[in-house]
Amino acid sequence: MAKQYGKIMTVWFGNRPTIVVSDYGSVWEVLVTKSSDFASRSMTYRSKFMTAGWRTLSTLHFSDAWYNLRKGAQSSFFHPANVLAQTPFQESDVQQMIRSIGEEATENDGVVNPLPHIRKGVVRLIGRLCFGPDFREDEYFVEAMDVIIEDTIKQMSVKSVADFFPFLRHIPGFNRPFLEAYKLKRRIEDLISPFLDQYHSPSSSSSLFEMFILAVDSTSLTIAWALVFLIHDQQIQDKLYKELIGLEYYGKEGALGLEQSRCRHNCYGEPLCMLHDPAVWKEADHFDPERFLQDAAGRPQGKLRDREEEDAAICMTAMERSFFPFGAGRRICAGMELAKPHVALGLGNLVKAFQWSSACEGKLTS
């Protein structure tokens, strides 16, 4: 659409205008330079049920209440000490994931769907952050939360005319999506409330569920899509495997060159048009995770088109301003320091433990 209508366009959904920005310079201006002007949220009425009246971190308007909520999350859940304390549990979770994938592969002649296993590992990780280290033993919660997350994504991805004309929620037939959203809200509360004390606020369950759904969906899809690209480029998969041999821990910053760049190449949430912009990247449509590595001079190996002579600082700045896997500015992802090592750890172990190839109609392809 950007090629036809330009890199800044307005799309109307009912009476709701949505501005789509795909130029990296304009995106940087929106997210960083003028972030205070664009940091608020416009939500559909249906989302009100599962966000305690739009009082969660991702739905609150930019205000003192939002600032206090984010500060609380970063000083508790995502505090560096808390994130570091998850390391031994993450390693245990990953090994459990590897075992369960191996068992499924054995039962199905080598064919496996890794995504459900990856998702449950992320549920355990977020569960420990929210409820303490003993949480990992509660497999019922893990299974139930994974199902609710999947149901929520399916429900919210199907738009209804009543989302754009909220008064229709009072009319029989049109109110069905709202009734389903309310039932989903009750399921969320019934699952999370037993882990909370009697003094928790009405928005506690919604805020905690938001942490689960945002982390599970984005992190698991990032790892899954990384596997897809590695399946389609066996040479890079083999190179990554050789780099992984002998490493005991795959999540340390800088421990892996190709592994870290592989994760950057496919971080979930990055606008595809920006990652495939030929004005920024050479061979923009080519799968090349090494483009994010730096050469001896500190320049990105994926140099900007026609700018080979510019110094390293200019190249790095231009690259970073066209790559926002965790967003930027005031709304930058609060949990990115937790997600980065988990993605690297999970993907590294998956590649080291198995040789991945595509399957067609339940059978391995040559």
Side-chain angles (χ1 to χ4, degrees):
M1 292 180 65
K3 293 180 180 179
Q4 182 175 356
Y5 298 106
K7 294 186 176 182
I8 300 179
M9 70 187 83
T10 301
V11 180
W12 288 82
F13 297 94
N15 63 346
R16 185 186 298 272
T18 300
I19 300 175
V20 181
V21 182
S22 55
D23 171 68
Y24 76 90
S26 300
V27 170
W28 183 264
E29 182 178 2
V30 169
L31 295 181
V32 180
T33 308
K34 298 182 178 179
S35 61
S36 60
D37 297 333
F38 297 96
S40 290
R41 290 289 187 262
S42 178
M43 309 298 297
T44 62
Y45 190 88
R46 186 161 39 135
S47 65
K48 186 175 183 178
F49 292 97
M50 288 173 288
T51 60
W54 304 310
R55 292 198 296 270
T56 62
L57 189 59
S58 69
T59 58
L60 266 173
H61 287 301
F62 179 67
S63 60
D64 289 341
W66 174 86
Y67 177 80
N68 291 332
L69 187 59
R70 182 180 176 93
K71 184 177 180 181
Q74 291 183 313
S75 62
S76 55
F77 297 115
F78 302 120
H79 189 277
N82 198 17
V83 172
L84 184 62
Q86 302 303 314
T87 300
F89 299 109
Q90 284 179 286
E91 294 174 337
S92 176
D93 288 344
V94 168
Q95 293 307 313
Q96 182 176 346
M97 176 186 68
I98 296 298
R99 288 194 299 270
S100 62
I101 290 177
E103 292 170 359
E104 182 179 337
T106 301
E107 295 173 357
N108 295 288
D109 297 325
V111 178
V112 64
N113 177 10
L115 185 57
H117 304 278
I118 298 171
R119 289 167 58 92
K120 292 174 184 177
V122 183
V123 171
R124 294 186 185 95
L125 172 62
I126 301 302
R128 285 193 302 273
L129 285 174
C130 295
F131 309 126
D134 294 335
F135 166 81
R136 67 194 185 103
E137 304 300 332
D138 196 324
E139 288 303 312
Y140 168 77
F141 183 98
V142 173
E143 295 281 351
M145 177 59 74
D146 187 49
V147 172
I148 290 179
I149 289 173
E150 189 71 18
D151 291 345
T152 302
I153 293 173
K154 289 179 180 178
Q155 184 178 122
M156 301 309 294
S157 63
V158 177
K159 296 302 180 183
S160 166
V161 65
D163 287 326
F164 308 106
F165 302 100
F167 67 88
L168 293 176
R169 69 184 184 276
H170 302 295
I171 301 177
F174 288 102
N175 64 352
R176 182 176 178 181
F178 297 94
L179 296 176
E180 292 177 348
Y182 180 76
K183 293 178 182 178
L184 199 55
K185 170 197 171 186
R186 294 299 302 270
R187 289 171 59 192
I188 293 169
E189 291 176 344
D190 291 343
L191 183 62
I192 293 180
S193 293
F195 290 87
L196 305 177
D197 60 40
Q198 58 180 325
Y199 303 107
H200 71 275
S201 67
S203 62
S204 297
S205 295
S206 297
S207 294
L208 291 174
F209 178 71
E210 181 179 82
M211 292 181 60
F212 279 99
I213 191 170
L214 294 179
V216 171
D217 188 49
S218 59
T219 304
S220 60
L221 285 178
T222 297
I223 297 175
W225 272 107
L227 286 176
V228 170
F229 280 100
L230 291 172
I231 286 170
H232 286 278
D233 197 320
Q234 291 291 323
Q235 184 176 0
I236 293 181
Q237 184 180 162
D238 292 341
K239 186 174 183 179
L240 176 56
Y241 173 79
K242 292 177 182 178
E243 186 176 342
L244 290 166
I245 295 298
L247 294 178
E248 295 182 357
Y249 176 53
Y250 314 125
K252 291 182 179 178
E253 188 72 22
L256 292 177
L258 187 60
E259 168 66 8
Q260 296 288 345
S261 62
R262 166 58 254 161
C263 297
R264 294 194 67 184
H265 192 283
N266 194 58
C267 279
Y268 178 73
E270 176 70 6
L272 290 178
C273 54
M274 292 176 62
L275 287 180
H276 292 262
D277 189 349
V280 178
W281 305 104
K282 282 189 173 182
E283 299 181 335
D285 294 327
H286 178 62
F287 173 54
D288 180 20
E290 294 187 46
R291 72 171 77 246
F292 293 104
L293 300 178
Q294 298 180 24
D295 59 21
R299 295 163 55 93
Q301 292 184 11
K303 298 181 178 67
L304 302 183
R305 177 180 291 276
D306 300 327
R307 296 184 181 181
E308 287 83 351
E309 301 305 321
E310 293 184 353
D311 61 33
I314 295 176
C315 288
M316 288 301 297
T317 299
M319 185 184 76
E320 290 171 356
R321 291 193 176 190
S322 62
F323 185 79
F324 309 106
F326 297 100
R330 299 176 189 270
R331 291 282 184 172
I332 193 170
C333 176
M336 63 179 178
E337 296 305 325
L338 179 68
K340 288 189 289 187
H342 187 79
V343 170
L345 178 65
L347 181 60
N349 276 276
L350 287 169
V351 172
K352 188 172 185 291
F354 305 105
Q355 172 71 35
W356 294 91
S357 59
S358 61
C360 180
E361 296 181 356
K363 296 182 179 180
L364 292 176
T365 57
S366 58

